Amino acid sequence: AEDLSLTIRPMQRSDEAELKRLSEVIFGPGYVEDLGLETEWSYVLNDQAPISFVIEGSDSKLHGFRLSYPPGRWRHLDAFRSSKKDLWPFPEEKAGYFKSACVAKTAQGKGLGKQMGELAIQSMTRIGAGGLVCHSWLQSPGGSSARYLQSMGFQAIAEIPHFWKDYNYLCSGCNVHPK
């Protein structure tokens, strides 16, 4: 829709249904359940500064999101346990985490994904992050995951074989389970 207005704002608990709808379209059925948002809200909705953001349209739907964890609040995740912490150029306790991001086709090409990332980085810096860890999906369409992260200044430090193996959703991009 040509007249669709899009706005970036901090993520809210009330966004859960829309996050589920959007993530199922982009990532595949079951993705939000694998994120475990029902138990993770206290982490991703940081009370010191907003670190997770959404793109909301004038149609009241979400058209993108950036889900992040503050330093010290993501050690319980498999992503932390499987990360190559010995290669990080900053202390483990200062590591924030870029968990997941997506931008629907309706919002692509407008720089909104990068803006959400920049807002999250600014907030993470304000709350004391010494660095950010993220995991790029190597099979993303056209390598979009790695390109996005590189455009934000991230550098690849290691490849983790079978990183997504414990996720139980049907990838909408390739129609296979990551397992």
Side-chain angles (χ1 to χ4, degrees):
E2 288 290 323
D3 57 352
L4 181 66
S5 173
L6 299 167
T7 305
I8 295 175
R9 64 163 174 79
M11 187 180 288
Q12 302 167 359
R13 178 79 167 84
S14 59
D15 292 325
E16 188 169 10
E18 266 300 292
L19 285 168
K20 182 175 182 176
R21 180 200 60 79
L22 179 61
S23 68
E24 286 190 356
V25 168
I26 302 230
F27 296 118
Y31 186 77
V32 165
E33 286 81 4
D34 263 10
L35 285 178
L37 277 181
E38 64 281 350
T39 60
E40 300 296 303
W41 284 109
S42 65
Y43 301 122
V44 300
L45 302 180
N46 186 278
D47 57 359
Q48 297 176 30
I51 57 171
S52 297
F53 296 88
V54 298
I55 301 169
E56 184 174 40
S58 54
D59 59 358
S60 299
K61 293 185 189 243
L62 295 186
H63 295 260
F65 64 85
R66 152 59 51 216
L67 187 64
S68 308
Y69 283 76
R73 302 298 303 266
W74 62 286
R75 291 181 178 170
H76 63 289
L77 298 177
D78 288 336
F80 181 81
R81 289 189 291 277
S82 65
S83 292
K84 307 284 186 175
K85 294 178 273 308
D86 56 318
L87 299 176
W88 296 354
F90 43 80
E92 180 180 307
E93 64 277 0
K94 294 283 192 177
Y97 183 50
F98 265 19
K99 170 73 173 171
S100 190
C102 70
V103 178
K105 289 186 188 327
T106 52
Q108 290 178 359
K110 300 171 182 5
L112 297 170
K114 190 167 186 173
Q115 286 177 39
M116 285 191 298
E118 289 168 348
L119 288 168
I121 289 169
Q122 290 166 11
S123 289
M124 290 281 207
T125 301
R126 278 197 303 276
I127 63 172
L132 292 173
V133 175
C134 53
H135 296 93
S136 174
W137 178 36
L138 295 177
Q139 296 81 12
S140 64
S144 59
S145 177
R147 277 196 334 270
Y148 163 74
L149 292 168
Q150 288 167 353
S151 78
M152 299 289 301
F154 287 92
Q155 298 174 4
I157 60 169
E159 187 171 320
I160 303 170
H162 311 291
F163 177 80
W164 305 107
K165 71 179 174 21
D166 293 327
Y167 289 78
N168 188 28
Y169 67 92
L170 180 63
C171 173
S172 63
C174 55
N175 284 328
V176 297
H177 287 276
K179 290 187 174 192

